[in-house]
Amino acid sequence: MDTPLVLLDVDGVLNPLQRSPGYQRYRASPDGVVYRLLLNPRHGPLLTGLAADTGAEIVWASYWRDAANDWISPRVGLPSLRHVPIPRHDPEFSLGAWKARHVAAWVGERPFVWLEDEPDVTNALTEEKELGPYLVVPVDPLHGLTETHVDQARAWLEQLIRDHG
Ligand SMILES: [Mg+2]
C-alpha cells in the first residue's frame, strides 16, 4: 500500500476564527498582506504523533501552499512539509471545490485523511472517479483542530493499515 497522507489545512483548522485557551496571536505577511493568526503549539506534537503512530505523511492542503512552512510550521511545532500545489482560486468554483479538484489530481490513488473546514470538499470529491480510500474529517472553523479530530484520523488510518497491511 502507498504511504497514507494526512492532508492539513491552515485557515479554520490550525488557525481558528475564535481564540480558545492555548492559542497565541501572530501576524504573517506571506505576500506583503498582513494576516492575523491564532496558532496552538500543541497542534504540531498532536499531528507528528499521529504520523509517527500510523506511518502517514503530513502534507499541506491549503491556499497558504509552501508559505505555511515559513509562517505556520515553526509556530505550531511542525517540520517543513510537502504541499499540494493548489493554483490561485478560480471564483467560478467554491474555495472547497477548487481545492478538492487539485487535491484529487495530486493524490492520485494514495489513501488520505483530510483535516478540512470547507464543508463542500466532500461533495466535490465524490465527483472524482480515480481516488483511493479517503476520509474527510470536518473541522469547525470557529474552534479549529481538536484532539477528537486527530483521534478520528488515527482510528481511520489504523483500520486502513489492518485492512491493507
Ligand atoms: Mg480552511
Side-chain angles (χ1 to χ4, degrees):
M1 185 179 66
D2 292 329
T3 302
L5 303 170
V6 175
L7 301 180
L8 180 60
D9 186 26
V10 173
D11 294 323
V13 175
L14 296 185
N15 173 34
L17 294 170
Q18 187 175 293
R19 189 177 186 180
S20 310
Y23 285 80
Q24 293 164 29
R25 293 185 192 283
Y26 294 96
R27 281 161 187 257
S29 47
D31 45 16
V33 180
V34 177
Y35 298 92
R36 295 159 71 87
L37 297 170
L38 291 168
L39 297 173
N40 189 333
R42 288 192 315 151
H43 277 158
L46 260 181
L47 291 162
T48 52
L50 172 68
D53 293 348
T54 59
E57 178 189 1
I58 309 167
V59 175
W60 296 116
S62 163
Y63 286 101
W64 283 78
R65 304 178 193 89
D66 59 336
N69 286 326
D70 296 327
W71 297 99
I72 311 297
S73 285
R75 293 162 169 182
V76 297
L78 281 172
S80 194
L81 306 171
R82 295 198 296 156
H83 71 284
V84 178
I86 301 168
R88 186 177 289 274
H89 175 228
D90 178 343
E92 271 190 42
F93 297 82
S94 71
L95 284 169
W98 183 248
K99 208 176 186 184
R101 286 166 73 93
H102 295 284
V103 161
W106 189 80
V107 298
E109 294 184 0
R110 277 175 291 182
F112 67 93
V113 53
W114 189 356
L115 305 167
E116 175 60 53
D117 68 304
E118 293 292 343
D120 53 348
V121 298
T122 304
N123 259 344
L125 287 176
T126 58
E127 320 246 313
E128 303 288 341
K129 300 287 176 250
E130 307 293 328
L131 294 174
Y134 67 87
L135 174 73
V136 176
V137 177
V139 175
D140 176 355
L142 203 58
H143 302 291
L145 185 75
T146 66
E147 255 173 87
T148 309
H149 301 121
V150 176
D151 288 345
Q152 277 176 261
R154 179 182 279 103
W156 187 84
L157 287 164
E158 286 172 350
Q159 184 64 47
L160 182 81
I161 293 161
R162 279 197 292 275
D163 291 349
H164 294 86

